[in-house]
Amino acid sequence: MNKINQTNSPYILRNVRLETGFLYEKEEIVATKTALFDIEIENGKIKTIDPAKETAGNQHFNAKGKLALPAFRDMHIHLDKTLYGLPWKAVFPKNRTVKDMIAQEQKIIPELLKTSVERAELLIKLLQGYGTNFARTHFNVDPTSGTASLEHLLQALDHVKDSFGAELVAFPQHGLYYTDSTGLMQEVAKWPQVDFIGGLDPYSIDGSIEKPIDFTIQLAVDNNKGIDIHLHEGGESGYKTIHYLIDKVLENPQLEGRTFISHAFALGSMSKKDLAYTAERLAASQVGIASSVPFRNMMMPFTELRNAGVRVYTGNDNVQDHWGTFGSGNMLQKANLAAQLYGYETEFDLSRCLRYATNGKVPLDEKGNIEWPKVGDEASFLLVDASCSAEAVSRISPVAGLLNKGNTVTWDLEEQL
Ligand SMILES: [Zn+2]
């Protein structure tokens, strides 16, 4: 394997398959049209996109007809406390509530921290192998971890800084007041590497909806950060928490577009009327939802949320840790899961599901016009063994290579000089 790692010297990636439009039959989309292109890359960006030809030019590599897709983005994961790389372990049988899990974490965190740098890097490599070059990662802020979880995560991210990007959420996993984590949260909120202030089930963990949310809002405003809180609570407290957060975001417009609720399971059990009202308010306040596409006992109303204009982000959340083991690390698998859950089967609907892997970016718009890639775009994309997006989502097609800003991260293709 010959890796490309010279962002400054231009090169051409030949025979890249790109989507060029939809094929219609009686006004129905029945297939995706593609063609082969030569893509010239310079300084980490796409310089030219031309129909594939046989002439020689700059140093070139052969994509051999593989399909290019925008690099995947995992928008909810915990890179800091994974067990990935350690021997297999299912979740603990007796720890079923969040408070049980907090007690368990207080016991195991000191041991986990000893190897958390290496394990975060291993997990990042797993994600990259599936075509992901960016993650929104939560990291624990609690009296047991102190600032070590953040420090170790930053070390791991520094080791992969040329090939992987991340935004960081300071996550008070043991509650703000349930264990006194407010001082630590105030401390890490000042760190420039921290992008979001996190939170956890205000009512069930800290006994109040208003007090923890008010603290979180103030911390985000004071430090110019976004917000991304975990909300597992359903029923009345879940509903009230969502609306209280929306109220506060509307009072602090600088948080609009920068505030997210992770999981937000309450949305999955609301009446149609409550959901319509809540979705409308989420859209108006630009509060997004980050979800792992769960399907146990409930179904998240992605379609209703999207139709109302709410941003829906997806991520693996847990890839083999003490909370869960079903995150595969593969964002295409999340897109496939969404397609199966919501009954997206047609060429068009499957092609739209790619959004769940890329955090919104798709090669063709709804009318089949080319949206991606364009000259000047960052050269961050993957190559898959598929004929189009719809097939990649449906088949969870294998990834043959990943480029991050023009550098190869994983590459199973031979160099052709
Ligand atoms: Zn989480």
Side-chain angles (χ1 to χ4, degrees), residues 76 78 138 230 263 317:
H76 186 118
H78 297 257
H138 296 249
H230 281 66
H263 308 310
D317 198 3

Side-chain angles (χ1 to χ4, degrees), residues 76-78 81 138 171 173 230 232 262-263 316-318 321 323:
H76 186 118
I77 194 165
H78 297 257
K81 52 179 180 181
H138 296 249
F171 178 36
Q173 170 79 81
H230 281 66
H232 306 94
S262 283
H263 308 310
N316 277 280
D317 198 3
N318 311 105
D321 62 29
W323 292 84

Side-chain angles (χ1 to χ4, degrees), residues 19 32 67 69 332 350-351 354 363 386-394:
E19 295 186 356
T32 306
L67 176 74
L69 295 175
L332 259 188
L350 284 168
S351 78
L354 187 72
S387 62
C388 60
S389 301
E391 184 185 2
V393 168
S394 189

Side-chain angles (χ1 to χ4, degrees), residues 9 28 34 71 103 116 119 140 154 313 336-337 352 358 386 397:
S9 71
E28 295 283 349
T34 65
S116 63
R119 280 180 294 98
N140 264 43
L154 288 174
Y313 288 10
N336 174 285
L337 189 56
R352 301 301 93 184
T358 60
S397 303

